Amino acid sequence: MALWGGRFSTQADKELSEFSESISFDKRLYKYDIMGSKAHSTMLAEQGIIPQKTADAIGIELDKIEKAIDEGDFTFCAELEDIHMHIESALIEKLGDEGARVHSARSRNDQVALDIRLYLRDIVAEIAEMIRDFQRALVEQADSNGDAILPGFTHLQHAQPVLFGHHLLAYVEMFDRDIERLNDCAKRINVMPLGSGALAGSTLKINRETVCKSLNFSRVTRNSMDAVADRDFAIELISDLAIFAMHVSRLSEDIILWCSQEFNFIELDDAFCTGSSLMPQKKNPDIAELSRGKTARVYGALTTILTLCKGLPLTYNRDMQEDKEPLFDAIDTVKKILRLYPSMVATMNIKRDNMLNAASDPALMATDLAEKLVEMDMPFRTAHHRVGSFVKWCKDNNKALNATTLKEMQETIPEATAEFLELFSPESSVAKREITGATGPKEVAKQIAFWKQQLA
Ligand code: ARG
């Protein structure tokens, strides 16, 4: 008989049990459920609501239950619905009436809110640390190969030469904001809901502050209805994960392009690629592709939980049980990506010559010509126009930009001097960009040093 069976005359149907169970996925919360029950029963004894010896017995029994679950020595069944009822029933089975006291002044509604918050607090710290490792892999790669020059793109068209290190550090910056977002979300997760009861608190004289303190929360929730109804902290976490996954997906797209025969800028270590069952020559960047693909799952989780909550009247509704699968799936997906990706980045082989070759198209230095004219006091728009005409002249005359004589250049850029003919090297193009945040080698070295220190 279910723990709520008192007002029911028949047992729950098997189909119903299977429809309404959450134990198949919420069992992962068991440690947090036990942690919460221990803090709760200790407080109940301190407040004289249950005898101290009952709280002691409950504590000992909860430890045994935890150990049994750890060791796979605990039976789960759909009839007991969820992790909260499983643990409470096991207590009652062992301690009889003593165990039946643990749920005083508590509902599964505040209990589940507590469990998720405790769980997410750990998860956020764990994922933030994993993203740090990802940053370390990128910085390490930037440190060894950061001076390679490749074309930077806008609109996926060759734009201007950049250092490979500069490109990689762009992702280090993005991941840093992802970590900041997670840490910020942690503040809103770290609030203690227990004592909110089903929705209205309790008539029993509990002490929420001591529970808050013993579970290391920053404060207690201020409104019991909000505390049991709200899942915005979980939605916020999934949003943060979705943004992180989007960043990984963009890096994946870069890596996939770089591995293609058209780009041929990098080669991934064999350990991170698979072949084709049909085409013997194939070596595919699967981890990057799957990470790009799995980003869709994380977005799916975000859409699911937002949609789940949008129409719910206050306070708790059973619909909310459906919050866990998307939440757990988003977390598991991101953790899977994070377990593999950093090593793939750290071990990728850089084809510097191919990168430089692609960056040596003199058209990539057209902006440098225009900026040279600005240095000579020409208004930028005029300079842009002059160089544009020069590019057109070269195209019409079937010449590369660096293959004209000074005289030919002066047909469209009358102000050009011999110096202009020297502006077509990608090395000197990047070397002139030494302002903060730009791709100059000194500036990039400074940024690499900054990150090495940050991540040490
Ligand atoms: N398994 C439930 C959930 O995850 C726990 C709360 C159930 N509360 C209730 N009144 N049925 O949401």
Side-chain angles (χ1 to χ4, degrees), residues 4 16-23 25-26 78-85 108-109 112 228 231 308 312-313 315-324:
W4 40 254
L16 168 64
S17 302
E18 265 158 33
F19 186 67
S20 62
E21 66 86 22
S22 55
I23 189 62
F25 47 89
D26 69 12
E79 290 66 39
L80 282 174
E81 281 187 22
D82 56 27
I83 190 60
H84 326 295
M85 300 233 278
R108 278 186 291 157
N109 298 353
V112 71
V228 296
R231 289 291 180 269
L308 174 70
L312 298 180
T315 54
Y316 179 86
N317 298 267
R318 189 64 184 277
D319 317 43
M320 288 164 68
Q321 179 168 294
E322 294 284 318
D323 61 353
K324 283 169 217 59

Side-chain angles (χ1 to χ4, degrees), residues 29-47:
L29 299 173
Y30 74 95
K31 275 185 196 293
Y32 302 101
D33 198 74
I34 288 170
M35 204 186 283
S37 289
K38 282 166 90 173
H40 183 67
S41 56
T42 302
M43 177 278 291
L44 290 176
E46 280 165 11
Q47 298 298 110

Side-chain angles (χ1 to χ4, degrees), residues 362-363 365-374 378 380-394 401 409 412-415 420 423-424:
M365 272 57 80
T367 316
D368 298 35
L369 261 63
E371 288 182 352
K372 186 82 194 158
L373 289 167
V374 169
M378 187 181 288
F380 179 75
R381 200 40 67 204
T382 316
H384 186 281
H385 194 81
R386 290 268 205 287
V387 180
S389 310
F390 174 60
V391 171
K392 183 170 185 306
W393 185 94
C394 291
L401 267 61
M409 191 186 271
T412 47
I413 314 177
E415 297 79 0
F420 278 60
L423 292 176
F424 294 105

Side-chain angles (χ1 to χ4, degrees), residues 289-310:
E289 292 174 281
L290 283 168
S291 300
R292 188 177 57 184
K294 285 178 190 295
T295 298
R297 293 174 75 115
V298 183
Y299 294 0
L302 181 58
T303 306
T304 302
I305 194 163
L306 280 169
T307 311
L308 174 70
C309 293
K310 74 180 267 295

